[in-house]
Amino acid sequence: MGVIAQILDMLFGSGAREMRQTLEVFRENAEGAAVRGNALRHAALDQFAAEFAHPRPSRFDRLMDALNRLPRPGLALGTLGLLIAAMVDPIWFAARMQGLTLVPEQLWWLLGVIVSFYFGARHQAKGQAFQREMGAVMMRLPVVLDHLDQIDQFAPEVAEKAEENPALTAWQTQASSPRNPATM
């Protein structure tokens, strides 16, 4: 009886903690593993949320965005200004254009590269921002489709209630009947 009592005491009594610690050396505690796995998943999700969060741009970023918007309108308005100058004072315009013929060809190539890279980089950045916004919209798509399905489920009920509306029925019969000139 003493040996059985010691075994039962070890399993269910004061020795249970030592037995559990000994068994956890050979087999992982399932509850502890679930807790650790849950903490790991939450940490990964928090990291992704921090990585893909859209921080609010600073004043400097907003100023740079504003300055980056100036070259295209400046080029367009400058070109229109050149056309107007050519019409207003052709001699002045011709003298300026003769000055442009003295610019070396390599400088024109350099200007073309700079302008191309500027507009290309801006186009790429704006395209990527648009794709991020579309991704955020697409994340809401299942909710919208679910709402549309719910609306479709209520459509027959709404149609039945509309048929039961006596005022609507009277108005439809009045609208479909030929007009009586005496009532006008």
Side-chain angles (χ1 to χ4, degrees), residues 60-93:
F60 178 77
D61 291 334
R62 290 193 305 254
L63 175 68
M64 287 296 110
D65 283 343
L67 290 176
N68 280 334
R69 290 188 181 118
L70 293 178
R72 284 188 293 181
L75 288 170
L77 294 174
T79 304
L80 289 176
L82 287 173
L83 290 174
I84 292 170
M87 288 185 272
V88 170
D89 191 359
I91 306 271
W92 177 87
F93 182 77

Side-chain angles (χ1 to χ4, degrees), residues 129-150:
F130 176 73
Q131 288 176 349
R132 278 193 300 272
E133 291 172 11
M134 287 304 295
V137 168
M138 293 305 286
M139 294 297 289
R140 295 191 308 253
L141 185 62
V143 175
V144 171
L145 291 176
D146 186 44
H147 290 167
L148 288 175
D149 288 341
Q150 291 174 359

Side-chain angles (χ1 to χ4, degrees), residues 139-170:
M139 294 297 289
R140 295 191 308 253
L141 185 62
V143 175
V144 171
L145 291 176
D146 186 44
H147 290 167
L148 288 175
D149 288 341
Q150 291 174 359
I151 290 171
D152 287 342
Q153 290 174 357
F154 291 115
E157 295 174 22
V158 172
E160 289 173 8
K161 290 182 180 179
E163 291 173 2
E164 298 170 2
N165 188 343
L168 182 60
T169 307

Side-chain angles (χ1 to χ4, degrees), residues 9-92:
D9 189 36
M10 184 177 75
L11 290 176
F12 302 109
S14 63
R17 185 179 346 129
E18 289 85 12
M19 180 128 183
R20 185 172 43 243
Q21 288 174 348
T22 304
L23 287 174
E24 285 178 359
V25 170
F26 300 108
R27 186 176 182 284
E28 182 181 23
N29 183 343
E31 185 178 343
V35 169
R36 287 187 298 275
N38 190 27
L40 179 67
R41 280 189 293 277
H42 281 293
L45 288 174
D46 290 341
Q47 178 185 356
F48 286 142
E51 183 177 346
F52 293 108
H54 298 291
R56 184 177 172 159
S58 66
R59 286 184 183 174
F60 178 77
D61 291 334
R62 290 193 305 254
L63 175 68
M64 287 296 110
D65 283 343
L67 290 176
N68 280 334
R69 290 188 181 118
L70 293 178
R72 284 188 293 181
L75 288 170
L77 294 174
T79 304
L80 289 176
L82 287 173
L83 290 174
I84 292 170
M87 288 185 272
V88 170
D89 191 359
I91 306 271
W92 177 87

